[in-house]
Amino acid sequence: MVRRVVEVIKLTKRQEEILQIVKEFGPITGKQIADKLSLTRATLRPDLAILTMVGNLEARPRVGYSYKGIEIDQLTDWFATHLVSAYKAHPIVLNKSTSVYDAIVQIFLHDVGTIYAVDGDGHLEGVISRKDLLRASIGNQSLHGLPVSVIMTRMPNIIMVQPEETLLDAAKKMIDHHIDSLPVVQASQLKEETYKVVGRITKTTISKAFIEIGQHHSTIKGSESHIGR
Ligand code: ADP
């Protein structure tokens, strides 16, 4: 709790300077930091204590201070090197002839926001989101007799992501196209320009990845993921 409160306090100019020095020269002793700033070790003691408590610095006896925070470029690197394949969640897939009524039931049953519609060979044909279902529901049509193929966003307008793409690619696509999720697809062997749905990536996947980085930030590079499994 103390840590959370301290984290939102803005760092002073001197604390920022200390961080810069430790980033550049760490591990470095308190005395060496003080010398670089032309201050005494005693003057710096409260700042070093705060930076250590907040978690920006790590203090090790006889070694000195090392930087422990995450740099923005490290964060971007992390998203640019972690693949969709490791983070994808299970997709909910229906035949395109399924009724809107049944699609609504599936959305509640599986607690998802988006469902994918496929043809008889299992190839992706459409995306049905909550808004699509709401829009259909406020009309007068019978939801039992209305197939999802009538209301879905269909190929070739579907924005997809492949398992070998990165979380950064996926996040950019969702932001650029103002959508909440992407089907993870693999090209089908049967016919050109057709795809099998093998997963889904949502904005929640990206948020969970942020939490994972926060929890493991001292071992940020090369960490294994468990999201989406
Ligand atoms: P919601 O309807 O819950 O707000 P979205 O913002 O993802 O969900 O969907 C908005 C619209 O974009 C819907 O009409 C939906 O069919 C469409 N859509 C959703 N995902 C995709 C996608 N991956 N590619 C193309 N269109 C999509």
Side-chain angles (χ1 to χ4, degrees):
M1 202 59 203
V2 171
R3 190 181 151 158
R4 274 177 201 289
V5 173
V6 175
E7 261 171 354
V8 296
I9 295 174
K10 200 169 171 342
L11 297 183
T12 64
K13 189 164 171 288
R14 188 193 287 161
Q15 288 162 359
E16 295 282 4
E17 282 169 353
I18 294 171
L19 282 185
Q20 285 311 321
I21 290 171
V22 178
K23 274 183 207 169
E24 196 172 341
F25 301 103
I28 179 170
T29 65
K31 172 78 173 69
Q32 288 167 324
I33 300 172
D35 288 347
K36 285 193 180 293
L37 292 169
S38 305
L39 295 167
T40 65
R41 172 82 181 78
T43 314
L44 281 194
R45 196 163 288 133
D47 293 317
L48 290 170
I50 287 174
L51 290 171
T52 306
M53 187 165 66
V54 168
N56 283 325
L57 294 186
E58 183 177 33
R60 276 188 290 155
R62 286 185 298 280
V63 178
Y65 293 91
S66 310
Y67 184 69
K68 244 183 89 185
I70 307 173
E71 298 277 12
I72 283 293
D73 56 351
Q74 252 184 313
L75 198 59
T76 310
D77 276 356
W78 194 93
F79 275 92
T81 50
H82 283 68
L83 300 184
V84 160
S85 54
Y87 287 84
K88 64 183 167 45
H90 180 68
I92 304 305
V93 174
L94 301 174
N95 189 284
K96 61 180 175 176
S97 62
T98 306
S99 72
V100 168
Y101 183 93
D102 286 341
I104 293 173
V105 171
Q106 292 300 315
I107 279 210
F108 280 105
L109 270 182
H110 297 285
D111 194 19
V112 292
T114 307
I115 293 189
Y116 303 109
V118 295
D119 65 12
D121 295 324
H123 294 143
L124 178 62
E125 288 230 339
V127 171
I128 305 121
S129 76
R130 280 175 289 214
K131 238 176 276 153
D132 297 328
L133 294 168
L134 277 174
R135 200 179 299 115
S137 305
I138 57 175
N140 288 326
Q141 294 129 323
S142 154
L143 300 183
H144 287 280
L146 183 66
V148 289
S149 56
V150 175
I151 65 153
M152 67 193 188
T153 299
R154 47 180 72 69
M155 289 293 253
N157 299 322
I158 301 177
I159 312 300
M160 303 174 285
V161 69
Q162 313 239 350
E164 316 64 56
E165 290 185 79
T166 69
L167 288 185
L168 191 63
D169 297 324
K172 276 186 182 157
K173 286 185 186 186
M174 286 191 279
I175 296 298
D176 289 350
H177 296 277
H178 307 281
I179 46 181
D180 293 347
S181 72
L182 301 169
V184 181
V185 300
Q186 258 165 353
S188 163
Q189 311 293 346
L190 289 182
K191 214 165 69 182
E192 277 197 18
E193 303 293 317
T194 56
Y195 302 88
K196 295 267 186 195
V197 186
V198 296
R200 80 190 150 91
I201 289 279
T202 69
K203 286 181 177 169
T204 305
T205 318
I206 304 297
S207 308
K208 283 184 181 169
F210 262 108
I211 304 288
E212 182 178 312
I213 299 170
Q215 282 166 348
H216 301 284
H217 72 275
S218 53
T219 54
I220 186 168
K221 294 213 166 154
S223 67
E224 289 293 316
S225 155
H226 299 287
I227 298 171
R229 296 198 180 140

